[in-house]
Amino acid sequence: QVQLVESGGGLVQAGGSLRLSCAASGRTFSAYAMGWFRQTPGKERAFVARISRGAGDTYYTDSVKDRFTISRDDAKNTVYLQMSRLKPEDTAVYYCVATTNGGTIYYQTTYDYWGRGTQVTVSQ
């Protein structure tokens, strides 16, 4: 069992930056691929980014490439999402996820564990 707790959300102006953190407890953090999804009202949760275990290969949805960076610190059991040049359309609840499964990285069902989410609001 893994518990995930997100932090770092908030209100920021367009063009600004935020860094989300996700602290994990429970089983061996380094064994998990970690990622982020986001959700806006009335829509399904959507893939944002993922970092693999070990060497840390990274993947991003097209809309955040070159603006967001996912990273992990296995010594601290934490995964980060550095968000820059934020846009109003980035406004969402951001969820941290974890998995040891294979499967398509863009699908919610690939991920076994979810945090409760943190709100990010980007104003005009």
Side-chain angles (χ1 to χ4, degrees), residues 47-68:
F47 172 81
V48 176
R50 169 175 164 141
I51 186 166
S52 64
R53 60 186 180 181
D57 294 334
T58 57
Y59 308 88
Y60 300 92
T61 192
D62 286 346
S63 63
V64 308
K65 284 180 182 176
D66 301 324
R67 298 190 299 121
F68 290 11

Side-chain angles (χ1 to χ4, degrees), residues 4 6-8 15 22 26 62 73 109 121:
L4 304 173
E6 303 95 337
S7 61
C22 173
D62 286 346
D73 185 339
T109 53
T121 303

Side-chain angles (χ1 to χ4, degrees), residues 13-52:
Q13 288 187 332
S17 299
L18 280 176
R19 188 177 79 160
L20 305 184
S21 299
C22 173
S25 61
R27 299 178 65 183
T28 307
F29 178 77
S30 60
Y32 288 81
M34 303 296 297
W36 294 89
F37 277 67
R38 64 187 180 185
Q39 187 175 28
T40 55
K43 293 188 176 181
E44 291 287 323
R45 293 178 183 179
F47 172 81
V48 176
R50 169 175 164 141
I51 186 166
S52 64

